[in-house]
Amino acid sequence: MNHPTITDALEDPAGTGESGRKKIEWARQHMPIMTSIDEDFGSERPLEGETIAMAMHVEAKTAVLTEVLAEAGADVAITGCNPLSTHDDVSAALDRHDAITSYAKHGVDDEEYYAAIEATLDHEPTVTVDDGGDLVMAIHEEHPELIDSILGGCEETTTGVHRLRAMDDDGELHYPMFAVNDTPMKRLFDNVHGTGEASLSNIAMTTNLSFAGKTVVVAGYGYCGKGVAKKAKGQNAHVVVTEVEPRRALEAHMEGYEVRPMAEAAEEGDIFVTTTGNRDVIVEEHFERMTDGAVLANAGHFNVEIDLDSLDDLAVARSEVRDGIEAFEMPDGRRLNVLAEGRLVNLASPVAMGHPIEVMDQSFGIQAVCVREMVEHAESYGPGVHGVPDELDREVAEIKLDAEGIGIDALSDEQAEYMNSWQHGT
């Protein structure tokens, strides 16, 4: 089937692609890890002859990863993993690369979204790179004939890894996938600092409100929730954490946050940020308790964390009160404000730029070396979810330290022997 690319869909593709190219080049200037990997990949061409299908947030940092994979010898077909996170100008710039076809377009409906995923699969990929799992699900559910020719793939985010592990547990994941989200160089920086900073900065820019003196309710205290809570506290907000996992709740308590059930937190929160990756985190009973003017944002993944259907049913009116903010008026006159249609606020709000460049340099460095690993050593990995080999994680960390001019110590032979021996005592 002949699917239209982003260039086909735009009225002024030349102008749009030029502005996207500027964004990509700005990102490249601040991505030393990807620059180093690009130099190695460009000379070694480790992906020669491979076809990569990608479903990612198509913006400037992702574009750098996409081009690095293409310069390594791969043909790349890319689309978005969220209807509102694509930057059309960046997508158009990518589509002008001889080895890249982009189907990503901002503001698509569900039918167009899944048609674009289908378009990437028409390229018959040998490797998949995913953010959220939609690409892998489409292959297994709609195109199982592709599985035998796929070497493996990589998954970027918490939600996608959860879905893959559920597939794996059911014996339904039929090719190897690296859980990029779970490796330290991704989880400790992207999830904590990336999600924390990007979510709050986009909430602030969208609303033009301050966090200082407000009560910020953070739903979920995983790595993303920790980042949001930490950054909000740093901006002088009072932070309340809600959790379903007792050890994470206790951790939040011991780190100085107030921990409450959502039903109680709903009564005092000014700004709510969901970070769970699960559905129905804020529902009807919570809407009924919220104060006038409450702001609701999602920093998890899919737009199911806030029950928008129930909120719509409760509302007597709804209107766009500011670009990217929809107010739902309750029968008693209270207004509850939803940002970015309940989608990822750091990527789907009108001013969204995603995570900071330096953070994504690390995450996409891991993605790049994992794609190389899967191509070069696919026979070492059976179907299922695999952790990123520690030596790859360390490789990316060492590149970053070198780029920052940071030196560290090394274990002496005696120290290494001591640490690896069970025979040494006190």
Side-chain angles (χ1 to χ4, degrees):
M1 183 180 295
N2 184 23
H3 298 275
T5 67
I6 181 64
T7 303
D8 297 328
L10 293 172
E11 293 181 2
D12 181 19
T16 307
E18 183 178 347
S19 66
R21 176 52 52 193
K22 289 180 179 179
K23 292 180 181 179
I24 296 169
E25 294 308 317
W26 172 258
R28 275 185 179 272
Q29 292 179 45
H30 302 279
M31 299 180 78
I33 296 172
M34 293 305 295
T35 298
S36 176
I37 291 173
D38 190 31
E39 291 172 357
D40 291 341
F41 279 18
S43 60
E44 298 169 6
R45 304 277 289 183
L47 309 182
E48 193 74 58
E50 304 298 336
T51 300
I52 301 175
M54 303 175 68
M56 307 282 283
H57 300 292
V58 180
E59 44 79 57
K61 286 91 69 181
T62 309
V64 174
L65 169 64
T66 308
E67 292 185 342
V68 167
L69 298 178
E71 294 301 324
D75 286 322
V76 183
I78 186 169
T79 189
C81 65
N82 183 300
L84 296 180
S85 64
T86 293
H87 290 204
D88 281 342
D89 54 352
V90 172
S91 183
L94 282 177
D95 198 54
R96 283 169 175 72
H97 191 292
D98 289 343
I100 299 172
T101 307
S102 181
Y103 299 98
K105 187 182 177 192
H106 181 86
V108 295
D109 59 25
D110 285 351
E111 182 179 353
E112 293 170 311
Y113 174 81
Y114 288 107
I117 287 179
E118 291 287 320
T120 69
L121 299 183
D122 284 347
H123 290 251
E124 299 183 351
T126 57
V127 177
T128 62
V129 179
D130 218 343
D131 188 318
D134 281 350
L135 196 60
V136 176
M137 303 303 154
I139 290 169
H140 283 74
E141 294 175 355
E142 305 295 334
H143 300 280
E145 72 278 2
L146 296 175
I147 291 173
D148 288 343
S149 60
I150 294 177
L151 299 173
C154 306
E155 170 54 51
E156 170 77 10
T157 197
T158 306
T159 298
V161 170
H162 284 168
R163 298 177 81 189
L164 292 177
R165 292 197 188 282
M167 286 182 73
D168 199 6
D169 289 344
D170 289 343
E172 296 298 329
L173 180 57
H174 299 308
Y175 64 81
M177 290 290 299
F178 280 131
V180 170
N181 177 79
D182 294 354
T183 201
M185 278 297 286
K186 199 277 184 186
R187 183 177 56 199
L188 297 178
F189 303 97
D190 185 314
N191 294 12
V192 176
H193 297 285
T195 301
E197 291 185 23
S199 299
L200 294 185
S201 65
N202 277 282
I203 291 170
M205 287 188 289
T206 302
T207 64
N208 197 28
L209 299 176
S210 171
F211 294 101
K214 291 188 173 62
T215 295
V216 176
V217 178
V218 180
Y221 201 67
Y223 286 95
C224 293
K226 289 177 186 178
V228 173
K230 179 179 180 179
K231 305 296 181 179
K233 185 177 181 180
Q235 296 190 54
N236 299 319
H238 172 63
V239 178
V240 177
V241 170
T242 72
E243 250 298 346
V244 297
E245 210 290 322
R247 291 159 296 187
R248 288 180 178 173
L250 185 58
E251 183 180 11
H253 169 70
M254 294 294 285
E255 291 182 354
Y257 301 108
E258 185 178 353
V259 180
R260 307 274 291 277
M262 182 60 79
E264 295 178 13
E267 297 178 349
E268 60 180 274
D270 298 303
I271 299 172
F272 295 79
V273 186
T274 60
T275 68
T276 71
N278 207 340
R279 62 174 299 156
D280 300 333
V281 178
I282 301 179
V283 296
E284 181 175 349
E285 67 166 310
H286 307 135
F287 301 138
E288 291 174 339
R289 296 173 180 236
M290 289 179 179
T291 60
D292 181 34
V295 172
L296 286 71
N298 170 35
H301 192 77
F302 296 117
N303 61 330
V304 296
E305 304 210 18
I306 302 167
D307 186 357
L308 296 176
D309 289 338
S310 291
L311 182 57
D312 186 48
D313 289 342
L314 286 174
V316 295
R318 53 190 289 184
S319 60
E320 185 177 52
V321 292
R322 185 178 166 90
D323 196 15
I325 306 176
E326 188 166 22
F328 292 74
E329 184 178 343
M330 300 294 101
D332 59 5
R334 290 176 300 120
R335 292 154 298 175
L336 306 183
N337 300 293
V338 176
L339 306 191
E341 301 179 15
R343 298 188 182 276
L344 274 175
V345 69
N346 60 309
L347 282 154
S349 66
V351 292
M353 291 176 286
H355 288 7
I357 296 171
E358 300 93 335
V359 167
M360 294 313 300
D361 188 31
Q362 297 181 184
S363 296
F364 288 154
I366 296 293
Q367 287 277 21
V369 297
C370 281
V371 170
R372 179 192 64 193
E373 173 71 10
M374 195 61 77
V375 168
E376 294 181 345
H377 302 290
E379 69 282 354
S380 301
Y381 303 96
V385 180
H386 297 269
V388 174
D390 192 58
E391 62 269 20
L392 299 184
D393 204 56
R394 288 178 175 271
E395 175 186 346
V396 173
E398 288 167 357
I399 294 172
K400 178 66 171 179
L401 288 173
D402 184 61
E404 296 288 336
I406 299 173
I408 62 174
D409 293 318
L411 293 176
S412 67
D413 292 342
E414 291 79 9
Q415 288 175 318
E417 193 271 334
Y418 182 87
M419 293 297 291
N420 293 317
S421 173
W422 57 269
Q423 295 173 314
H424 292 293
T426 55

